[in-house]
Amino acid sequence: MEKGKVYLVGAGPGDPDLLTVKAARLIGAADVIVHDGLVDDAVLALARTDACMISVAKQRSRHAVPQDGINAILVREALAGHAVVRLKGGDPFIFGRGGEEVEACRAAGVSVEVVPGISAAIAGGAETLLPLTHRDASSAVTFVAGQCKGLTDQNWAGLAGKGRTLVIYMGVATADDISEKLIADGLSPDTPVAVLERVGRSNARALRSILTDLGGMIARENVQSPAIIAVGDVVLKSDAEDKLRAFAKEAESLS
């Protein structure tokens, strides 16, 4: 492992068994580990006992360390001659801001390498037997962020519907807006949806209903982040627990 270098390492969804061999090796050899709050303790336990552990955990709309600060830490530690692992949940280049960290390292003349990880959509699909693509149901899959600037201005037209799968990261808090947006863009209110909560962990859950009930199901079941949302017919092929009856009963009681 090279000194004075930054490794952006994907930690996957939480289960240490889903780390790549290279990721596990780098974690165990690093001088400094700069890690997200979503990285499981079992993954952090692979680090050397004398490694410097720096947490840059964040919560929705509140960053303990802003991105510029994280970039500065990576550059500082590498320039000090340390082998630095930037440990990120999922994959560094799928909504992980890895691109920004690569740019910061390059600008400072710091050598940087990216080690991919299993993203939550890939792990969640496997865990719940939900095929993101399927010969009979979906020939395309798209990943989008449900919690970012300008959500209402984003054009998602054509990303979901017959023959397509849409996967939404960070969409729990904006689920009602997402549902309204997709329906307004022409998607049927009866389109199957699933919420995959705490993917890769022992307390994971997979729930499914229909698009018009997305926000309601999340509220009824008290779904918490981290969770992803899958939209499309492939949802019906999964092992996700069917919550459509609860929605039907709720609608009937209100009528």
Side-chain angles (χ1 to χ4, degrees):
M1 190 175 188
E2 294 181 39
K3 301 287 187 179
K5 182 172 180 177
V6 172
Y7 299 84
L8 305 186
V9 176
D15 184 350
D17 285 344
L18 295 181
L19 288 169
T20 64
V21 173
K22 186 171 186 177
R25 175 172 60 80
L26 292 174
I27 294 168
D31 300 317
V32 177
I33 295 180
V34 182
H35 63 90
D36 287 344
L38 292 178
V39 177
D40 195 90
D41 288 343
V43 174
L44 297 178
L46 299 175
R48 288 172 12 204
T49 56
D50 63 338
C52 175
M53 309 294 286
I54 302 175
S55 172
V56 290
K58 63 184 179 182
Q59 298 178 356
R60 182 172 182 261
S61 302
R62 187 176 68 193
H63 295 233
V65 181
Q67 188 61 48
D68 287 347
I70 296 173
N71 297 346
I73 291 170
L74 299 178
V75 169
R76 180 193 73 207
E77 295 297 331
L79 292 178
H82 298 139
V84 182
V85 162
R86 169 68 171 110
L87 196 55
K88 309 170 78 67
D91 180 271
F93 279 176
I94 299 183
F95 304 121
R97 305 190 74 168
E100 297 170 52
E101 292 169 357
V102 166
E103 291 167 2
C105 289
R106 282 175 170 168
V110 169
S111 180
V112 60
E113 179 179 339
V114 177
V115 179
I118 297 178
S119 188
I122 307 302
E127 188 173 87
T128 62
L129 303 184
L130 193 163
L132 298 181
T133 63
H134 189 284
R135 185 170 181 174
D136 298 327
S138 175
S139 61
V141 58
T142 304
F143 299 155
V144 299
Q147 177 187 310
C148 58
K149 295 179 180 178
L151 174 62
T152 56
D153 297 327
Q154 293 182 54
N155 182 8
W156 288 2
L159 299 185
K162 186 174 178 58
R164 297 183 293 278
T165 305
L166 180 63
V167 177
I168 304 162
Y169 286 69
M170 301 171 286
V172 169
T174 55
D176 286 324
D177 294 334
I178 288 168
S179 177
E180 291 176 7
K181 177 181 180 65
L182 289 173
I183 292 171
D185 283 346
L187 207 58
S188 169
D190 293 334
T191 301
V193 296
V195 177
L196 311 183
E197 181 185 25
R198 297 185 295 263
V199 171
R201 300 172 189 268
S202 60
N203 58 348
R205 286 195 299 172
L207 312 170
R208 67 178 170 90
S209 187
I210 56 176
L211 182 58
T212 192
D213 181 43
L214 177 61
M217 179 178 69
I218 286 174
R220 287 194 309 271
E221 299 296 329
N222 191 29
V223 174
Q224 302 294 316
S225 295
I228 59 172
I229 299 165
V231 182
D233 288 341
V234 291
V235 165
L236 299 176
K237 299 182 179 296
S238 74
D239 281 348
E241 185 179 353
D242 190 351
K243 294 296 180 180
L244 185 55
R245 291 180 182 177
F247 168 63
K249 289 181 180 179
E250 181 180 35
E252 183 179 352
S253 67
L254 295 174
S255 62

